[in-house]
Amino acid sequence: MVYPNPTPDLTRRRLLFSALGAATALTLPRTGHARKVPPPEDPNAKKILILGDSMIAGAVGLYLENGLRRDHGYNVRRKGKSSTGLARPDFFSWPKEAAAQAEAFPADAVVAMFGGNDVQGLYMGKGEWITWPEPGWHAEYARRVNAFADIVAPQGQPLFWIGMPVMRPEKFHVRVQRVNTIFRAEMAIRPGGHFIDIWRLLADEDGGYRDRLDIDGIPGGKTERVRAGDGIHLSVAGAYRVEAHVRAIIHQVLSSDQPTQPTFAGAEPLPSAPALPSDGA
């Protein structure tokens, strides 16, 4: 479905998010990743709710759901929808959907991944917008992140917010750095908040974009393609890398007897993104 967008240059990329996210969800596991029959559901096991856009609807969410259930015995429910985020509640209202999901599946922890479709104007209702990067965009988007968090983790339950990966398209690269900064800051002050940084997980040693990465971290050895052709999405290998990293952090936190505290799990933070030109590029 195509819908009006106050930031036209991102329409094509958002459609790619939808198409590629749906496609990777149907990809069979790589060689060496044999299918395993999930264990019977344990009614006493912790419940994890996974919510997000095409990354969650696609391979990252699928592998994460399977891994948490199969390897750690959690009860998992996943809801992903391509071409969505927190910017356009007129197209798809995540606050409404999140409330319904949380009511139907009261979770002990929540995983969220948004941002790829949000680096555009924010629809305010009644034809009003906060365009990118108009003053007020940052504050309004941060408010929406917190409103979503209040719905899914009202009692301070662990909330794992997965950041956006490094991107090849320059404009997109700068913009997702901005939303990552917001996610990091808001999870830092939220009880139970955990920001999982995946930026350098899929980047070169300088934090720049790479299509291929060394296998097992051996320079000059075999490499594998970790990104899709658009420079935005992940390949199957890239999705496995992200899933393994994210799942390890989630299980470490949930299996600990210590009270959860805000964390910045993953890579070191990148410098602040440069100021955007006045035309919003």
Side-chain angles (χ1 to χ4, degrees), residues 92-133:
F92 185 82
S93 175
W94 266 110
K96 182 177 179 181
E97 180 64 30
Q101 292 290 332
E103 181 179 2
F105 189 78
D108 299 293
V110 178
V111 181
M113 189 174 189
F114 296 101
N117 302 307
D118 284 341
V119 287
Q120 58 167 305
L122 303 177
Y123 184 67
M124 302 299 292
K126 299 181 179 179
E128 298 295 324
W129 298 85
I130 298 179
T131 59
W132 177 284

Side-chain angles (χ1 to χ4, degrees), residues 16-73:
L16 284 170
F17 253 88
S18 174
L20 289 174
T24 54
L26 302 177
T27 305
L28 293 176
R30 295 181 298 169
T31 302
H33 291 268
R35 290 183 178 273
K36 296 181 181 179
V37 177
E41 185 173 291
D42 178 359
N44 297 316
K46 289 182 178 179
K47 296 181 178 180
I48 302 177
L49 178 62
I50 305 176
L51 303 172
D53 56 20
S54 62
M55 292 286 193
I56 295 302
V60 172
L62 177 64
Y63 301 156
L64 183 60
E65 176 186 5
N66 290 343
L68 288 169
R69 179 183 292 120
R70 179 191 62 220
D71 295 341
H72 304 297

Side-chain angles (χ1 to χ4, degrees), residues 80 202 227 231 241 252:
L202 297 171
R227 306 306 292 266
R241 286 194 180 210
Q252 180 182 24

Side-chain angles (χ1 to χ4, degrees), residues 200-224:
R200 292 188 186 274
L201 188 68
L202 297 171
D204 62 21
E205 60 185 11
D206 297 318
Y209 178 87
R210 287 282 301 274
D211 280 318
R212 305 184 66 89
L213 293 175
D214 298 327
I215 296 177
D216 300 324
I218 303 175
K222 292 183 178 180
T223 64
E224 61 183 359

Side-chain angles (χ1 to χ4, degrees), residues 115-200:
N117 302 307
D118 284 341
V119 287
Q120 58 167 305
L122 303 177
Y123 184 67
M124 302 299 292
K126 299 181 179 179
E128 298 295 324
W129 298 85
I130 298 179
T131 59
W132 177 284
E134 181 180 331
W137 194 100
H138 185 289
E140 172 59 20
Y141 191 72
R143 185 197 68 77
R144 295 186 186 197
V145 168
N146 276 294
F148 178 89
D150 287 342
I151 293 170
V152 297
Q155 305 300 323
Q157 298 96 319
L159 171 58
F160 302 92
W161 203 292
I162 306 171
M164 289 284 99
V166 58
M167 302 288 185
R168 185 173 63 204
E170 184 175 355
K171 288 183 181 180
F172 215 47
H173 177 91
V174 172
R175 293 185 181 197
V176 294
Q177 280 186 307
R178 289 281 186 89
V179 294
N180 277 353
T181 299
I182 295 173
F183 300 148
R184 181 186 298 274
E186 298 309 315
M187 292 303 105
I189 59 177
R190 183 174 189 85
H194 302 268
F195 174 70
I196 302 181
D197 189 346
I198 64 171
W199 189 276
R200 292 188 186 274

